[in-house]
C-alpha cells in the first residue's frame, strides 16, 4: 500500500517538512466555516487513526475555479458578478454539490461547503465526490430575466469543467429547479444535444426525479425520527421548531406535521412566528406562496430568529444559514435534539457545549443528506433514461439515510464521541480506504 506514497511510512517526514508550503494555500481558503470544517476533519482523523498523508490531502480542495460573470441587466447596463466552483475531491466519483446565490458567498465559504460535500457523499456511501459553487449576488434583487442571464453565463464560463461524468451541480440557497433547467439547457445547447445528467434538482419535465424537491426536508424528518427513537420517543406528539422556511425548512416542517409533530415556531429572513399550540403548516405554506414571507401569519405571535432557537422543544431543525448556534447561545438551547437541515449551522464550540449538555446533534453531513441521495438517484435515472416512482425514491432514500445514521451511532457509542465527529469519522474512513487503494499519481 505504501508504494502509493500515501501510506503511513512517510508521515513523520511529511508533517515536519511541509509547513511553509501548506500555509500559503491554507490562507487562500481561510474563513470561519472552512477552519471549522478542517478542525472537525482533524478530530475525526485522530479518532479513526487516519493516515496523516491522506488526511493532509483531504484538507485541500483539488481545484478552485473563479469566473467573472457579466450580465445584461434590465436597464441595459452590464454588471459583472463573481462566481466560484470548488471541486474538493473526485476520489469516489464525479464532483457533486449545489450552487448558491447569496450576497455573502466567498471562495472560503464555497470551499467549506465543497469539503462537506465530499464527506457527506462518503458517509452516505454514494459513488460521488464533493464540490460546490456560488455567485456573490443577492438573488432577491434580480429580475427573472437577470437571474436567467446570470445562470446561463456562469454555466457557459464553467464550460466542460462540469458534466455528467465530471461535476454535477444542484440547487442550494437562492437557486431552485428553474435555475437547474437553465443550467441544463445552456450546457446542452453548447454540446449540441440534451444532457439531463449534467445537473440534478431539475424539474421533472426535463428529466428530474420525483421526490427530489422535498428530499432534503424528508431526510431531516427521517433523521429526527431516528434521534427520537434513541430517546424512546416518536415523531407523533413531539414539538419541533424550524429555522428557515425555504426548500429544506418548509418540507421538513410539512413532513413532520404530516407525521403528527407539533411545529410550534418557524422563521425566515423576515423573522419568526410562534404558536405554542402548533402551526397549521399546509395553511402557512399557502400564506407564504402568496406573501413570500412567514411574517404576519395570522394564527401566531412574532418572534425573532434568536429567540426561536432558544424555545423549549423536542426537535430543533436549523434549516437556514451557517453559524446560527455558537458559544454565545448554545448554553440556552432547550431542544433535546438538533437536526441540522442547513450546512454548518452549529459551530465547533457550540457542538461541544451541546454534547456536554446531553443534547443530541445530528450533524449536517448526515441530517441533510436526503437531498444528495435523491440527487444521486436522479443522476442515475437521467443517465439511464428510466424513471422511478416517488414511493421508490423515498423508500430507497430512507434506507440509505437510516443506514448512515446507524453507522454513525455505532462509532459514537464505541468511541464515546459526539455525532458530528462520529459522522466525519465514518466518512473519513471510507475515503481513506479509497485514496490508499487508488494511490498517488505520479507516485
Ligand atoms: P432556500 O433559499 O430555499 O431557503 C433558505 C431559507 O432561509 C429562506 O426561508 C430564507 O428566508 C431563510 N433565511 C435566510 N437567512 C436567514 C436568517 N439569517 N435567519 C433565518 N432565516 C434565514 O435554501 P435551502 O435550499 O432551503 O437551503 C437552506 C440550507 O440547507 C442551506 O444551508 C443549504 O446549504 C442547506 N442544504 C440545502 C439542500 C437542498 O436540497 N436545497 C440540501 C442540503 C443542504
Amino acid at each position: 500500500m505504501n508504494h502509493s506514497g500515501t501510506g503511513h511510512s512517510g508521515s513523520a517526514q511529511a508533517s515536519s517538512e511541509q509547513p511553509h508550503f501548506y500555509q500559503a494555500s491554507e490562507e487562500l481558503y481561510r474563513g470561519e466555516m472552512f477552519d471549522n470544517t478542517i478542525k472537525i476533519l482533524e478530530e475525526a482523523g485522530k479518532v479513526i487513526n487516519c493516515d496523516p498523508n491522506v488526511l493532509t490531502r483531504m484538507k485541500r480542495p483539488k481545484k478552485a475555479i473563479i469566473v467573472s460573470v457579466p450580465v445584461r441587466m434590465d436597464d441595459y447596463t452590464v454588471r459583472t458578478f463573481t462566481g466560484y466552483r470548488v471541486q474538493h475531491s473526485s476520489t469516489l466519483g464525479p464532483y457533486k454539490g449545489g450552487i448558491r446565490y447569496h450576497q455573502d458567498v466567498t471562495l472560503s465559504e464555497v470551499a467549506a461547503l465543497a469539503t462537506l460535500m465530499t464527506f457527506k457523499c462518503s458517509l452516505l456511501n454514494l459513488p460521488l465526490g464533493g464540490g460546490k459553487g456560488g455567485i456573490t449576488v443577492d438573488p432577491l434583487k434580480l429580475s427573472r430575466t437577470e437571474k436567467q442571464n446570470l445562470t446561463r453565463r456562469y454555466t457557459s464560463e464553467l464550460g466542460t469543467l462540469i458534466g455528467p461524468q465530471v461535476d454535477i451541480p444542484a440547487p442550494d440557497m437562492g437557486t431552485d429547479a428553474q435555475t437547474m433547467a437553465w443550467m441544463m439547457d445552456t450546457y446542452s445547447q453548447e454540446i449540441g444535444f440534451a444532457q439531463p445528467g449534467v445537473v440534478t434538482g431539475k424539474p421533472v419535465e426535463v428529466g428530474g426525479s420525483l421526490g427530489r424537491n422535498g428530499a432534503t426536508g424528508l431526510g431531516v424528518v427521517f433523521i429526527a425520527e431516528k434521534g427520537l427513537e434513541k430517546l424512546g420517543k416518536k415523531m407523533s406528539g413531539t414539538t419541533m421548531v424550524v429555522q428557515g422556511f425555504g426548500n429544506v425548512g418548509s418540507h421538513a416542517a410539512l413532513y413532520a406535521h404530516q407525521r403528527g409533530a407539533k411545529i410550534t415556531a418557524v422563521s425566515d429572513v423576515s423573522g419568526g412566528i410562534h404558536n405554542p399550540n402548533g402551526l397549521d403548516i399546509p395553511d402557512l405554506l399557502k400564506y407564504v406562496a402568496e406573501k413570500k414571507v412567514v411574517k404576519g401569519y395570522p394564527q401566531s405571535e412574532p418572534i425573532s430568529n434568536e429567540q426561536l432557537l432558544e424555545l423549549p422543544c423536542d426537535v430543533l431543525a436549523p434549516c437556514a444559514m451557517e453559524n446560527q448556534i455558537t458559544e454565545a447561545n448554545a448554553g440556552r438551547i432547550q431542544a433535546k435534539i438538533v437536526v441540522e437541515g442547513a450546512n454548518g449551522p452549529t459551530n465547533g464550540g457550540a457542538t461541544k457545549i451541546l454534547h456536554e449538555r446531553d443534547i443530541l446533534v445530528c450533524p449536517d453531513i448526515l441530517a441533510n443528506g436526503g437531498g444528495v441521495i435523491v440527487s444521486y438517484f436522479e443522476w442515475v435515472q437521467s443517465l439511464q433514461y428510466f424513471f422511478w416512482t416517488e414511493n421508490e425514491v423515498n423508500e430507497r432514500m430512507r434506507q440509505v439515510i437510516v443506514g448512515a445514521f446507524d453507522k454513525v451511532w455505532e462509532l459514537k457509542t464505541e468511541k464515546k464521541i459526539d455525532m458530528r465527529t462520529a459522522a466525519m469519522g465514518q466518512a473519513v474512513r471510507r475515503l481513506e480506504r479509497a485514496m490508499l487503494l487508488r494511490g498517488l499519481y505520479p507516485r
Side-chain angles (χ1 to χ4, degrees), residues 100 120 172-174 212 216 243-248 268-269 305 319-321 341-343 368:
R100 177 173 290 197
K120 192 184 296 182
D172 190 73
M173 274 182 71
R212 174 60 185 91
T216 309
Q243 186 195 42
F245 206 65
N247 178 290
V248 181
D268 61 19
V269 73
N305 259 299
C319 299
M321 299 281 294
N343 284 310
N368 67 34

Side-chain angles (χ1 to χ4, degrees), residues 123-135:
L123 172 66
L124 298 168
N125 227 6
L126 305 178
L128 295 167
K132 202 83 182 188
I135 301 180

Side-chain angles (χ1 to χ4, degrees), residues 145-253:
T145 311
E146 290 166 344
K147 194 170 176 185
Q148 177 170 180
N149 291 347
L150 179 80
T151 303
R152 288 188 181 277
R153 183 60 187 250
Y154 171 67
T155 309
S156 158
E157 290 297 337
L158 292 179
T160 50
L161 290 165
I162 58 168
Q165 315 299 342
V166 188
D167 184 351
I168 310 138
D172 190 73
M173 274 182 71
T175 57
D176 55 16
Q178 175 61 77
T179 323
M180 293 306 111
W182 290 327
M183 286 195 87
M184 177 265 182
D185 183 69
T186 306
Y187 181 86
S188 299
Q189 293 292 344
E190 293 198 348
I191 59 166
F193 56 92
Q195 183 47 276
V198 64
V199 291
T200 60
K202 53 194 176 289
V204 173
E205 294 83 348
V206 293
S209 175
L210 294 170
R212 174 60 185 91
N213 201 29
T216 309
L218 183 59
V220 165
V221 170
F222 287 148
I223 291 299
E225 280 176 334
K226 285 295 292 183
L228 286 165
E229 189 188 300
K230 297 291 177 191
L231 304 185
K233 288 173 172 261
K234 282 201 161 64
M235 182 57 91
S236 170
T238 57
T239 51
M240 182 165 171
V241 166
V242 181
Q243 186 195 42
F245 206 65
N247 178 290
V248 181
S250 67
H251 283 104

Side-chain angles (χ1 to χ4, degrees), residues 381-398:
Q381 293 172 79
S382 288
L383 295 181
Q384 296 186 335
Y385 301 93
F386 178 74
F387 293 90
W388 309 352
T389 66
E390 187 161 356
N391 279 347
E392 274 174 312
V393 169
N394 291 347
E395 179 47 29
R396 286 181 187 186
M397 187 267 276
R398 196 191 62 76

Side-chain angles (χ1 to χ4, degrees), residues 29 33-34 37-38 41 58-62 86-89 96 108-121 129-132 365 424 431:
Y29 298 111
M33 193 179 177
F34 186 78
T37 307
I38 299 303
L41 181 54
M58 289 179 188
K59 288 192 220 168
R60 221 72 52 207
K62 199 162 140 72
V86 175
Q87 300 177 329
H88 176 264
S89 168
K96 183 86 196 81
S108 170
E109 181 189 67
V110 177
L113 292 165
T115 309
L116 283 175
M117 281 307 295
T118 294
F119 295 101
K120 192 184 296 182
C121 292
K132 202 83 182 188
I365 62 168
M424 196 59 130
L431 187 61

